[in-house]
Amino acid sequence: GRENSLDWLNSSPEVTMLLFLYRYTYEVSPVFLLVEEAVIKKMIEFIGWEEGDGIFNPGGSVSNMYAMNLARYKFCPEIKEKGLSGLPRLVLFTSEECHYSMKKAASFLGIGTENVYFIKTDERGKMIPEELEKQGSAPFLVCATAGTTVLGAFDPLDKIADICEKHGLWLHVDASWGGSALISRKHCRLLHGIHRFQNGLLKKCYSAKAAYLFQQDKFYDVSYDTGDKSIQCSRRPDAFKFWLMWKALGTTGLEERVNRALALARYLVEEIKKREGFQLLLEPEYANVCFWYIPPSLRKMEDGPEFWQKLHQVAPIIKERMMKKGSMMLGYQPHQGKVNFFRQVVISPHVSREDMDFLLDEIELLAKDL
């Protein structure tokens, strides 16, 4: 019987849809809506706001698109009804180390990738505020990054916020990666100033006031019908997964996970420094550890174009060998003129020091004949 089995879920797509799609209104999905509201409220506290608004999205790329569209709506609200025709050219400023989704969002929203201006970064991958101040055009959006994809860099949010405040510019912070540090009392300093970025306007910007969903004379508080501030109709209950983990681990447990990940990243850095043939790209400030492995045949070679050309070929060969062997899956890439290097990002709570040791041992083993 159904009382003792969940097998009936597999044969009932209608029920599956109700359970696994987070709907638009409180009456259809009260638990998931309240869960999202509770998580957003708690996250707002960690940012440092007394009040705010938010919504769970499928990922960081979509979140950046939401933010870009909100900034444009703030800059010219008439775009919602009149569209792009007749509007002036719009430009936005972001770090040259920003996530590629900024260009995708500009393309998708009709802003155009040529109107994304990339601000220079320093040797650590942080946006240089003075370079931002130099720009002549007035953008509708400035996007800072808290935890860049490659180097794990945190833009100086306070200084960028000063410039945006001075010129009346909308500031967005892409904290898709680095935002986790907010929950750690030890590492939240990385995002100092994040409370100064803009929020709000979700409902005004995205509301379509669909009469068949958002009746204003319902018997309950219609502010719980938060779906009208989403660009989607049905949504997956992504907040539920986070809420469940948060309830299970507690705030202290989540904080310990962040601290542990960064401690393991630091352990890996120190081990790299001890081993012959390993060379850090730079001292990391987050969980991104970027390094080269210089095989025995190149260690006595003079530094120059030929050396870097040969080193560029090393990481792809090691990656191929580890994949075919099935021992590891470690990413590599070139970046900002630097030849291919490995990028280890520590995320999993199950990773240990032994795993970090294995990582380095395995690279040495796979490259011993190179």
Side-chain angles (χ1 to χ4, degrees), residues 149-150 292 312 315 331-335 338-343:
T149 310
V150 180
W292 288 287
H312 185 63
Y332 73 87
Q333 68 178 94
H335 183 69
K338 294 182 171 62
V339 303
N340 281 326
F341 56 86
F342 289 112
R343 180 173 66 98

Side-chain angles (χ1 to χ4, degrees), residues 121-133:
T121 56
D122 62 19
E123 69 282 354
R124 298 193 56 79
K126 299 170 179 287
M127 186 194 294
I128 302 172
E130 293 76 16
E131 293 293 328
L132 174 63
E133 186 81 80

Side-chain angles (χ1 to χ4, degrees), residues 33-56 179-184 194 239 242-247 249-255:
L33 276 167
L34 292 177
V35 161
E36 180 173 68
E37 290 290 294
V39 173
I40 291 291
K41 184 178 179 181
K42 196 68 178 174
M43 292 171 73
I44 283 170
E45 292 177 14
F46 278 97
I47 290 172
W49 292 338
E50 292 185 4
E51 59 181 31
D53 194 11
I55 192 170
F56 266 74
S180 300
L182 279 173
I183 208 165
S184 166
I194 196 170
F242 187 29
W243 176 87
L244 193 62
M245 181 174 67
W246 204 335
K247 292 291 284 186
L249 298 174
T251 300
T252 302
L254 287 180
E255 180 182 26

Side-chain angles (χ1 to χ4, degrees), residues 49-68:
W49 292 338
E50 292 185 4
E51 59 181 31
D53 194 11
I55 192 170
F56 266 74
N57 298 317
S61 295
V62 174
S63 292
N64 280 335
M65 186 186 73
Y66 265 90
M68 192 177 293

Side-chain angles (χ1 to χ4, degrees), residues 258-270 289 346 348-356:
V258 173
N259 291 343
R260 187 170 185 272
L262 294 181
L264 281 171
R266 175 45 51 185
Y267 172 80
L268 179 60
V269 167
E270 296 307 318
V289 182
V346 182
S348 172
H350 304 295
V351 172
S352 65
R353 287 190 172 195
E354 288 73 23
D355 294 314
M356 299 294 98

Side-chain angles (χ1 to χ4, degrees), residues 220-244:
Y220 59 83
D221 182 354
V222 294
S223 67
Y224 285 121
D225 289 349
T226 57
D228 207 17
K229 62 187 179 184
S230 162
I231 60 172
Q232 298 169 262
C233 187
S234 296
R235 292 190 291 138
R236 291 187 179 276
D238 294 323
F240 179 67
K241 293 180 286 186
F242 187 29
W243 176 87
L244 193 62

Side-chain angles (χ1 to χ4, degrees), residues 270-285:
E270 296 307 318
E271 289 302 306
I272 286 172
K273 291 178 180 178
K274 295 176 185 176
R275 298 199 183 205
E276 185 180 5
F278 288 89
Q279 181 179 329
L280 283 172
L281 196 73
L282 78 171
E283 281 284 344
E285 64 177 339

Side-chain angles (χ1 to χ4, degrees), residues 74 129 132-133 139-142 156-172 193-198:
K74 176 67 165 58
L132 174 63
E133 186 81 80
F140 74 95
L141 165 68
V142 174
L157 302 183
D158 246 348
K159 291 182 180 179
I160 294 171
D162 287 341
I163 295 170
C164 291
E165 190 175 297
K166 176 182 174 182
H167 297 283
L169 306 176
W170 181 276
L171 174 61
H172 164 60
I194 196 170
H195 63 286
R196 298 177 63 186
F197 81 103
Q198 279 79 23

